[in-house]
Amino acid sequence: EVQVLESGGGLVQPGGSLRLSCAASGFTFNKYPMSWVRQAPGKGLEWVSLIGSSVIGSRGGNTHYAESVKGRFTISRDNSKNTLYLQMNSLRVEDTAVYYCAKCGGGNAFDSWGQGTLVTVSS
Amino acid sequence: DIQLTQSPSFLSASVGDRVTITCRASQGISSYLAWYQQKPGKAPKLLIYSASTLQSGVPSRFSGSGSGTEFTLTISSLQPEDFATYYCQQLNSYPLTFGGGTKVEIK
């Protein structure tokens, strides 16, 4: 069974940093692009970042970011640990959201999602 | 960036109704469109990808159509478990974007 499980959320002050992790199981992790999507309280879905697959090496492929997080967030993967990461720096109040990890499947759509981890940026 | 406009944003319907949700893209995206269902407090669930391909395990009452700039999600006979919020997403180009969502509620 395909599973992705996020961790690392919590309360952080504006300007602070946090690293989210997503542990994957039940599929060949290094063959699939992975993504982060967030949802602010009571709002819709917002795509955050995506990292391509990488069969060669352990660190993953091309990376892409939403304009709202570019230069502050860094996506990475460790294929040897079947884990996806999101390093979030210079956090803002508007980054408060549930952050979901998702696996890319057919048509590069997001076919498996975690349960989400809540990030709250507040003083 | 490609904007996706969903309509309606809110829909009230009864069990057994045929429901259609529209997603319009600000520029052509071929068939690079997906549809998701989200229930309160839960993660989104993929229903349709490549505009019209039903994801494995999704009931056949869900269908998708369209290409270019106009797409539709149809639920042929609404069931109690279908009351949820539905989102479209374009996968044609970065940044990837979602529509604003359509909330389907019980009439």
Side-chain angles (χ1 to χ4, degrees):
Chain A
E1 181 191 0
V2 172
Q3 283 192 324
V4 291
L5 182 64
E6 305 93 340
S7 61
L11 175 64
V12 61
Q13 291 188 335
S17 298
L18 211 55
R19 188 176 84 155
L20 305 183
S21 300
C22 171
S25 61
F27 63 100
T28 306
F29 181 70
N30 64 6
K31 290 187 176 179
Y32 294 90
M34 298 291 294
S35 192
W36 290 97
V37 176
R38 68 185 181 184
Q39 188 168 36
K43 302 296 185 183
L45 301 173
E46 180 188 13
W47 173 75
V48 172
S49 184
L50 182 145
I51 185 167
S53 62
S54 175
V55 178
I56 299 174
S58 69
R59 296 297 173 179
N62 293 338
T63 58
H64 305 274
Y65 298 93
E67 198 62 39
S68 58
V69 307
K70 201 174 289 185
R72 301 187 298 123
F73 290 12
T74 302
I75 191 172
S76 63
R77 65 193 297 164
D78 188 333
N79 291 333
S80 67
K81 295 182 179 180
N82 287 356
T83 302
L84 175 73
Y85 301 101
L86 186 68
Q87 177 67 44
M88 303 186 294
N89 299 331
S90 303
L91 282 161
R92 305 168 179 167
V93 170
E94 54 265 35
D95 294 318
T96 294
V98 173
Y99 284 73
Y100 294 102
C101 162
K103 167 187 168 289
C104 297
N108 278 333
F110 300 168
D111 64 359
S112 296
W113 297 64
Q115 85 292 344
T117 187
L118 177 62
V119 172
T120 303
V121 184
S122 174
S123 54
Chain B
D1 298 4
I2 297 174
Q3 315 300 323
L4 295 180
T5 303
Q6 285 184 237
S7 60
S9 52
F10 177 86
L11 188 161
S12 182
S14 301
V15 172
D17 284 353
R18 181 181 181 89
V19 166
T20 298
I21 298 168
T22 297
C23 178
R24 289 189 173 89
S26 59
Q27 62 191 80
I29 58 171
S30 185
S31 296
Y32 295 105
L33 189 101
W35 289 97
Y36 300 87
Q37 175 193 67
Q38 187 180 33
K39 297 181 179 179
K42 300 295 187 183
K45 173 187 174 183
L46 176 65
L47 300 175
I48 302 280
Y49 63 92
S50 298
S52 60
T53 303
L54 194 67
Q55 172 69 0
S56 176
V58 174
S60 59
R61 63 181 179 273
F62 291 92
S63 64
S65 65
S67 68
T69 61
E70 187 149 340
F71 302 85
T72 58
L73 172 71
T74 299
I75 309 172
S76 60
S77 178
L78 199 64
Q79 297 302 300
E81 59 267 31
D82 301 336
F83 292 94
T85 300
Y86 294 84
Y87 295 92
C88 58
Q89 179 198 28
Q90 68 84 16
L91 298 130
N92 180 76
S93 61
Y94 296 101
L96 306 182
T97 46
F98 287 92
T102 296
K103 187 172 185 179
V104 177
E105 290 202 342
I106 303 172
K107 182 182 279 185

